[in-house]
Amino acid sequence: MEKQEAIREIATKVRLLESKRTLDEGLLTFYVEKLVMDILGYCHRADFPDALIYSAVDLILKRFADEDASAGSELGVSSNAPLASVKMDDTEFKFAVANIDPTGCLADLDFATLKPKLNLYRKVVSWA
């Protein structure tokens, strides 16, 4: 299916499943477009495989769930957030994670879990 058709189809299904809450349409459109473009780029395709529609819907719903979990947790950081510090005895390492959006990190990890399925539709590219 064409890119724009895939974007419409995914967004429609997400709206259906999230009908009990008000979604930010701009954010939904951005997430769906980004995911479709990431999938097309990873697979080296111009057309979106029909079989990936529901996988894309699942990832978008997970993204919203991660945002909800992050917003509802202590200090606005979910339990799945990046490691902030490690301490053992008198040695402590602190990492700069204050400016990291944990939902963005989780979205990247979620996309990585989709790669085995995407590999079924990935086209071989020659750089010669």
Side-chain angles (χ1 to χ4, degrees), residues 40 45 54 57-58 77 90 93 107 117 121 128:
L40 293 177
R45 300 178 69 105
Y54 292 102
V57 169
D58 286 342
V77 179
D90 63 342
F93 297 97
K117 191 178 287 187
Y121 302 97

Side-chain angles (χ1 to χ4, degrees), residues 89-105:
D89 298 326
D90 63 342
T91 305
E92 182 175 10
F93 297 97
K94 289 190 177 189
F95 306 102
V97 295
N99 58 350
I100 294 176
D101 176 14
T103 56
C105 294

Side-chain angles (χ1 to χ4, degrees), residues 29 31 71 81 93 103 106 110 117:
T29 302
Y31 288 161
F93 297 97
T103 56
L106 294 174
D110 292 338
K117 191 178 287 187

Side-chain angles (χ1 to χ4, degrees), residues 59-105:
L59 281 184
I60 297 297
L61 292 174
K62 178 140 181 9
R63 175 92 184 227
F64 282 123
D66 289 343
E67 284 181 357
D68 291 346
S70 177
S73 66
E74 184 179 323
L75 301 175
V77 179
S78 74
S79 60
N80 299 350
L83 183 65
S85 67
V86 175
K87 183 175 183 177
M88 183 173 182
D89 298 326
D90 63 342
T91 305
E92 182 175 10
F93 297 97
K94 289 190 177 189
F95 306 102
V97 295
N99 58 350
I100 294 176
D101 176 14
T103 56
C105 294

Side-chain angles (χ1 to χ4, degrees), residues 11-125:
T12 300
K13 288 181 180 357
V14 169
R15 280 187 210 99
L16 175 70
L17 293 171
E18 291 290 322
S19 62
K20 292 185 178 158
R21 73 179 202 174
T22 304
L23 293 174
D24 180 337
E25 283 298 316
L27 199 57
L28 173 62
T29 302
F30 174 79
Y31 288 161
V32 173
E33 285 178 355
K34 180 185 181 317
L35 182 58
V36 168
M37 293 303 294
D38 286 348
I39 289 172
L40 293 177
Y42 181 80
C43 292
H44 310 291
R45 300 178 69 105
D47 62 317
F48 193 89
D50 293 346
L52 295 177
I53 292 290
Y54 292 102
S55 298
V57 169
D58 286 342
L59 281 184
I60 297 297
L61 292 174
K62 178 140 181 9
R63 175 92 184 227
F64 282 123
D66 289 343
E67 284 181 357
D68 291 346
S70 177
S73 66
E74 184 179 323
L75 301 175
V77 179
S78 74
S79 60
N80 299 350
L83 183 65
S85 67
V86 175
K87 183 175 183 177
M88 183 173 182
D89 298 326
D90 63 342
T91 305
E92 182 175 10
F93 297 97
K94 289 190 177 189
F95 306 102
V97 295
N99 58 350
I100 294 176
D101 176 14
T103 56
C105 294
L106 294 174
D108 291 341
L109 293 173
D110 292 338
F111 185 79
T113 64
L114 188 61
K115 286 183 179 179
K117 191 178 287 187
L118 296 178
N119 288 337
L120 297 172
Y121 302 97
R122 196 169 190 196
K123 292 183 178 181
V124 178
V125 174

